[in-house]
Every structure is written in C-alpha cells, then in structure tokens.
Amino acid sequence: MPVGIGLCGLGTVGRGTVEVLGRNAETLSQRCSYGLEIVQVGSRSPRPEVDLGTIPFTQDIFAVAANPAVDILVELIGGVEPARELILTAIANGKQVVTANKALIASCGDELFAAAKARGVTLAYEAAVAGGIPIIKALREGLSANRIRWLAGIINGTSNFILSEMRDKGREFADVLVEAQMLGYAEADPSLDVDGTDAAHKLVILAALAFGMPLRLDAVHVEGIRDIQPDDVRYAGELGYRIKHLGIARRNANGIELRVHPTLVPERSLMAQVHGALNAVMVRGDAVGATLYCGPGAGAEPTASAVIADILDIARRLGGGGRDAIPALGVERSGEIPPVLDIADAESAHYLRVSALDRPGVLSQLAQILSARGISIEAIIQKEPAPGQDHVPLILLTNRTRESEVRAAIAAIEELDSVAGAVVHLRKEALNDV
Ligand code: HSE
C-alpha cells in the first residue's frame, strides 16, 4: 500500500505540491519503499484552480484529518487558525503532519510539537523557512556536530526582491511590491513581508534549532523595509555596501540577539550578491566555520520541493521503521538557555545619515557626541549643499558598538540646533568571524 497523503490548501504552495508530486511520481515512489499517493485534497475555496484528475476533493479540511486513508496530513492553508486546529486534530487522529506554515510554528509551535510528541507522530516544517533551501536539514543533520555561534539570513524573498529592484533599476517600492504579489512571492497580507514579521517567524524557528531554545517570537526586534529611501541605497553603495533585509541570531557573551532589520553588508560579500527573490542563510559553527546556503526562498515549486522532502522523510520512515529524526522545536531542550537580549544590548556597526547645517563646527560636534560614547567613525561622506539648500547630508559609518550607545548618541545629535529632522539609522554587518 502506498503512503496516503491528505493535502489541505490549494494556494500557491498547494498547487505547486500537487504539480510536483504528479510530475515526479515515479521518481518519488522509487525513493521510498511503498510509494506515495494523494488520497484526498481539501480546500475551503469551492473550485480548485488546479487539475486534480481523479483525486477526491472536499471543502471540509477536517474531513481530510479524519480520513483513515491519510497517513500524512500536509497543511498548506497558512495563517494561524484554522491551521492550528486542523493540525491538532490530525495529530490526535495519529496522522504524521507536514507544514509550510511559519507563522503557526513560530507562534504556536510549543503546543503543536508537544502534542505530536505525546501522540508519537512527527510534525515536519522544512518548507516553513527559506522556501526551497534545505536549511532545516542543514541545521539538524549536516551541522549537528557544531555549537552555532551565529546565523544571518535573507529570509524574506519579497523584501529582497524589492530592495534589489530599487537598487538595480531605481524602481519605486509600491510598484515592485505589486510585481512580487503577482509572482507569488508575497504573503496574502504583504505587510507581513515588508514590515519584517515573516522574517521574524522564520528567524525564531532557525534560532530554536540552532541554539536549542524556545520559540521566542515575542523577543525578536523587528524592522521592515518600508522606510528605506533611495538616497540611503545610493549612499550605502558609495561606501561599498548594499542594504539587505537580514534576520540575525547571534550568541554573544550575555545572551542571544534575535533581530530582523535592514542591514548594510559589504558589496563584495556573498550575501550582497543574493538578488531578487533568492534567500540565503549563513551559519557559523564552531567546528565548520562559516557556511552559506542559497536558493529560491519563495514561490510554488521551490516551496513544494521542501514540502515533498519532508513527505519523503516521513514516508521512508513509515516504510522502513526507525526513529523520528526531526527534532520537536521547543520540546527537546537541553542545558542552560541563555537569555534573549533586548535590542539595546545588541552589538553591530551602524550607518547614520544626518541632515546638518552647512556651517563650521558641525562635524566636530557630531564627532564629540560619538567619541564621548566610545563610538569610532570608520567612514564618512559629506555632500555639497544642493542649490538653495542650507542643510547637507552627512553619512557616517561607525565601528561595532552597543545599540544603546548609538541610540543615546542619535538622541544627542537630534538635539543639536544644527541638525534637522530625525537621524536615519541602519545597522551594518561585516558577516565575517569578528
Ligand atoms: N512571503 C514569503 C517571502 C514567502 O517573500 O519570502 C516564503 O515564505
């Protein structure tokens, strides 16, 4: 008997999964002892926009969770409810579960993994992070010998696509966002992409695996890309940097930094070469050093690739016996868990853009404010005033500094009579071993 798959959700990823399971059916069957068969598809929309052939279809997704022919329930409906209830029902019915739902794992993972563990079934989630890149497998298998020092990733394809198009083609934010939606990269609510929430969901899953810590969505410092101005993209370029939206999890001496924000990365770094909707995750282990995983982070078939890898893992195990190889996030913790740090205690280098009056002494005032807090200026650009303007943009790159010191310096700079408006503040990461 083939392993029975019940698939719920026929959005972008659901349709991609049906397509790839059908197209590669023979190859996939050769890769597990009993073969695979979709025994039922559930979607709350009345008419599926995909040719299901003879596969039974229902609008009642809970019927799929109750179907005795279903061995593995694949949840691709997204969002928290009713996905949470569907998965808990499937687990209670003894089904194995595969999900691509990062929002659900990040916010309710503790409950779901505990339920799966209690029932002796697997909850697999490769597709929840970085689409087609097997980063969950890399962390749980390939890098399992290491103590992870940090990881940093471009983990939202939509934001990367927008930043790349703004930089390369000078396009407007809103116009690129519409294209990302049409291409199937963006979430149903694209503010989850551009405001950083989607990246935060993925970061907490990666951090939980990397550091054996709980899923701490509440503790992530989150900034999106909405406020990135073309001027800052240009100035960063002049200084030899590109702006990328990164999720960063780093173990420092006092605890764990969890942060998502636009970041200047050196133009020559591999991370700076990751364009369009591509994702990339860099992981630094104590034994292996720095490793980089890159590939499509969104879209129908790349995400289906990860969903089906999980299905195959489970099907192989169901066919051949063996222990569950996929760790349950938030349940199998060991050792002392370091605290998650407030962003004020995070350390990075900083980009500051100050609109300053073009008059003697302003630069020295800024230098004094920074040096009083032990902040060193690593690079500086000042432009000539535009005709009719008395303020000029001053762009500074600092050394690696504690966030609280930089925030205090920014507050003092904004108090100066010679400075107009708010200081633009971005962080900069060298992404090396320092
Ligand atoms: N909206 C997500 C992105 C899709 O743009 O990366 C993959 O999670």
Side-chain angles (χ1 to χ4, degrees):
M1 280 274 285
V3 171
I5 298 166
L7 192 149
C8 292
L10 281 176
T12 303
V13 181
R15 293 198 298 270
T17 303
V18 171
E19 170 67 27
V20 177
L21 279 172
R23 192 172 72 225
N24 294 348
E26 199 179 323
T27 311
L28 297 178
S29 289
Q30 286 162 3
R31 291 183 181 156
C32 58
S33 324
Y34 297 135
L36 302 172
E37 184 183 341
I38 305 182
V39 293
Q40 192 171 27
V41 168
S43 167
R44 291 164 298 170
S45 327
R47 236 169 285 135
E49 293 167 21
V50 61
D51 179 10
L52 293 175
T54 57
I55 303 170
F57 172 78
T58 175
Q59 275 186 263
D60 177 6
I61 52 174
F62 286 88
V64 183
N67 183 339
V70 169
D71 300 301
I72 306 175
L73 182 125
V74 181
E75 183 277 304
L76 301 175
I77 60 179
V80 173
E81 290 295 359
R84 175 184 153 278
E85 198 188 339
L86 178 71
I87 290 180
L88 286 172
T89 307
I91 289 172
N93 292 341
K95 314 291 184 200
Q96 315 293 325
V97 178
V98 172
T99 181
N101 194 331
K102 57 254 162 157
L104 180 63
I105 297 284
S107 55
C108 306
D110 284 343
E111 178 190 19
L112 299 176
F113 287 110
K117 187 171 175 152
R119 191 66 174 79
V121 296
T122 297
L123 170 56
Y125 47 88
E126 180 67 68
V129 182
I133 306 174
I135 187 64
I136 303 293
K137 267 185 185 296
L139 282 169
R140 78 166 199 256
E141 295 173 18
L143 299 176
S144 58
N146 290 266
R147 268 173 68 81
I148 304 299
R149 298 217 165 123
W150 54 261
L151 59 85
I154 295 172
I155 46 179
N156 183 264
T158 301
S159 296
N160 201 41
F161 183 67
I162 292 173
L163 289 174
S164 302
E165 292 286 303
M166 285 174 71
R167 177 188 169 277
D168 297 343
K169 302 183 187 155
R171 291 177 64 189
E172 294 288 328
F173 172 90
D175 160 45
V176 191
L177 177 57
V178 169
E179 189 180 345
Q181 287 176 288
M182 275 163 30
L183 291 168
Y185 303 149
E187 297 301 303
D189 170 5
S191 64
L192 293 174
D193 296 298
V194 297
D195 293 331
T197 312
D198 177 75
H201 290 150
K202 295 166 182 169
L203 183 71
V204 295
I205 296 172
L206 292 177
L209 261 180
F211 301 130
M213 61 184 288
L215 293 151
R216 290 293 311 278
L217 188 56
D218 60 308
V220 187
H221 174 82
V222 184
E223 292 173 30
I225 60 164
R226 255 184 227 278
D227 297 334
I228 296 294
Q229 300 295 318
D231 276 355
D232 296 310
V233 174
R234 204 174 61 247
Y235 294 140
E238 286 182 29
L239 289 159
Y241 292 86
R242 291 197 185 157
I243 300 179
K244 292 291 181 188
H245 189 249
L246 295 189
I248 298 172
R250 184 195 311 264
R251 193 195 289 266
N252 78 26
N254 304 311
I256 294 176
E257 300 175 10
L258 288 180
R259 48 195 171 95
V260 165
H261 51 66
T263 311
L264 275 74
V265 298
E267 184 165 78
R268 286 189 306 275
S269 66
L270 288 171
M271 203 64 102
Q273 315 307 321
V274 178
H275 299 300
L278 286 179
N279 279 196
V281 182
M282 223 170 167
V283 184
R284 171 72 164 91
D286 65 335
V288 70
T291 58
L292 179 70
Y293 310 83
C294 180
E301 294 205 5
T303 313
S305 162
V307 168
I308 296 168
D310 274 345
I311 293 174
L312 277 178
D313 265 354
I314 294 172
R316 286 194 195 105
R317 191 166 45 75
L318 293 177
R323 204 182 159 271
D324 183 359
I326 302 175
L329 294 179
V331 176
E332 293 171 2
R333 291 171 204 151
S334 59
E336 195 178 320
I337 298 163
V340 176
L341 299 175
D342 189 272
I343 187 71
D345 296 320
E347 289 167 7
S348 62
H350 300 266
Y351 164 105
L352 306 180
R353 173 158 59 85
V354 182
S355 178
L357 265 185
D358 183 29
R359 72 174 185 214
V362 175
L363 202 50
S364 85
Q365 286 179 309
L366 295 186
Q368 272 172 25
I369 288 174
L370 293 170
S371 72
R373 288 169 177 80
I375 303 169
S376 160
I377 298 172
E378 304 280 293
I380 185 163
I381 298 180
Q382 183 191 326
K383 297 290 179 185
E384 285 182 301
Q389 297 285 319
D390 52 1
H391 284 81
V392 291
L394 255 167
I395 296 100
L396 306 165
L397 294 183
T398 76
N399 65 334
R400 202 167 176 78
T401 306
R402 206 180 168 98
E403 177 96 8
S404 53
E405 294 297 337
V406 169
R407 289 188 179 192
I410 289 172
I413 291 170
E414 287 174 346
E415 289 282 298
L416 294 174
D417 291 341
S418 49
V419 166
V423 172
V424 174
H425 171 212
L426 297 169
R427 295 157 194 103
K428 169 175 103 70
E429 297 288 347
L431 301 178
N432 56 22
D433 286 349
V434 180

